[in-house]
Amino acid sequence: MTGAAAALALVVVAVPLLAGVRLFVVSSPSMGTAAPVGTLVVTRPASTASVQRGEVVAYSPLDGSGPTVVHRVVATEPSPAGPTLVTRGDINGSDDPHPVTDERLVGRAVALLPGWGYAVRAVPLLGLGGALVAFLTGLWLRPEVRGPVRLVAWSLLYAVTVLGLRPFVGVTEVAVSSSPDGSRVSFVSTGMLPVAVTEQLGHAVSGPSHLSYGERGELAVHVAAAGDRLRLHVHPDLSRTAWLLLWGLCLLPVVWTLVAEHRRTRPPRPARTPGAHVVRPVTG
């Protein structure tokens, strides 16, 4: 049964890849809420002649180096070699510098899955790390201490993974612009949780700006004194109910471990012999 399941999983993964399906994880905020940082992009092969304005495509950089770009088609242009695509990120102020030719087009996006890219990147870390923890604790530790040690190790592994990927809370600064009314800093939320952002320059504070996943925000920048540094402070912007649910999810592993340990250490009930009668003493 295990071999059949592994073969089925291999087929499920291999067939789309053989058909030209490609997967990409968005790492820049240029697509805004349509494909925020951490989005898993699924593409299929396409030609520039078949792509329509408004569709999202993936293409290789002009020099062939660097990460694959995922942007939206804003126009098509004729050329002697065939149609080319003019692309732009949804929150960018200008088109990409070079039109996309057939040779550089990787494919058309058929699915944009926000947040799934974080999961794809986390699965190898959590899976391999969790398996290693289970193997080492099973090899070296006694059964009565194995459960608590695994809980602590898996929690640390999860915490390190979250700190590395930052899937829940984060912002990326986009630009600082100047106008007669003063300067403004713009930024994009890169975490899946809603956030509130405040800007601090010296002792002056502005904000907060409330953002959801992939949204762009702006804050006024105060006049800087000598030695002042611009800081963006970001924290989750959740309701009380959402905080309670989040804490409940965090406590689930602890509750599960306590219940499992209680069941494991509970003494077994004495077996009753079939047909046996309980004789109660007669008093008085």
Side-chain angles (χ1 to χ4, degrees), residues 20 23 25 76 83 89 100-101 105 107 110 116-117 123 159 162 182 228 258-259 268 276:
L23 303 178
V25 178
T76 59
V100 179
T101 60
L105 183 62
V110 296
W116 284 56
V123 163
V162 169
D228 286 346
L258 293 175
V259 171

Side-chain angles (χ1 to χ4, degrees), residues 90-268:
D90 284 1
I91 68 170
N92 291 351
S94 59
D95 298 339
D96 297 337
H98 304 287
V100 179
T101 60
D102 245 342
E103 292 74 17
R104 295 171 56 208
L105 183 62
V106 176
R108 174 196 288 114
V110 296
L112 302 174
L113 306 173
W116 284 56
Y118 286 130
V120 168
R121 288 178 172 174
V123 163
L125 300 175
L126 296 177
L128 294 176
L132 181 62
V133 168
F135 173 75
L136 293 178
T137 54
L139 186 66
W140 291 337
L141 299 180
R142 301 188 306 273
E144 58 269 19
V145 298
R146 195 175 296 160
V149 172
R150 284 177 176 175
L151 175 63
V152 173
W154 285 335
S155 299
L156 290 174
L157 176 64
Y158 178 78
V160 170
T161 303
V162 169
L163 287 175
L165 299 180
R166 297 184 179 275
F168 300 121
V169 175
V171 295
T172 295
E173 184 179 322
V174 177
V176 178
S177 58
S178 299
S179 68
D181 298 329
S183 299
R184 301 187 69 85
V185 58
S186 58
F187 40 83
V188 178
S189 172
T190 59
M192 293 184 289
L193 296 179
V195 295
V197 185
T198 56
E199 172 266 327
Q200 181 176 355
L201 189 59
H203 296 289
V205 178
S206 63
S209 176
H210 301 274
L211 302 176
S212 60
Y213 191 20
E215 279 190 329
R216 179 174 179 168
E218 286 189 347
L219 287 174
V221 177
H222 296 88
V223 177
D228 286 346
R229 295 179 57 190
L230 175 66
R231 294 183 176 89
L232 293 178
H233 299 279
V234 186
H235 61 270
D237 187 20
L238 301 176
S239 65
R240 183 175 301 177
T241 302
W243 275 115
L244 290 175
L245 290 174
L246 188 60
W247 278 108
L249 289 174
C250 294
L251 291 175
L252 275 179
V254 178
V255 175
W256 177 82
T257 301
L258 293 175
V259 171
E261 285 299 304
H262 174 71
R263 290 182 176 178
R264 190 186 64 82
T265 57
R266 183 175 57 186

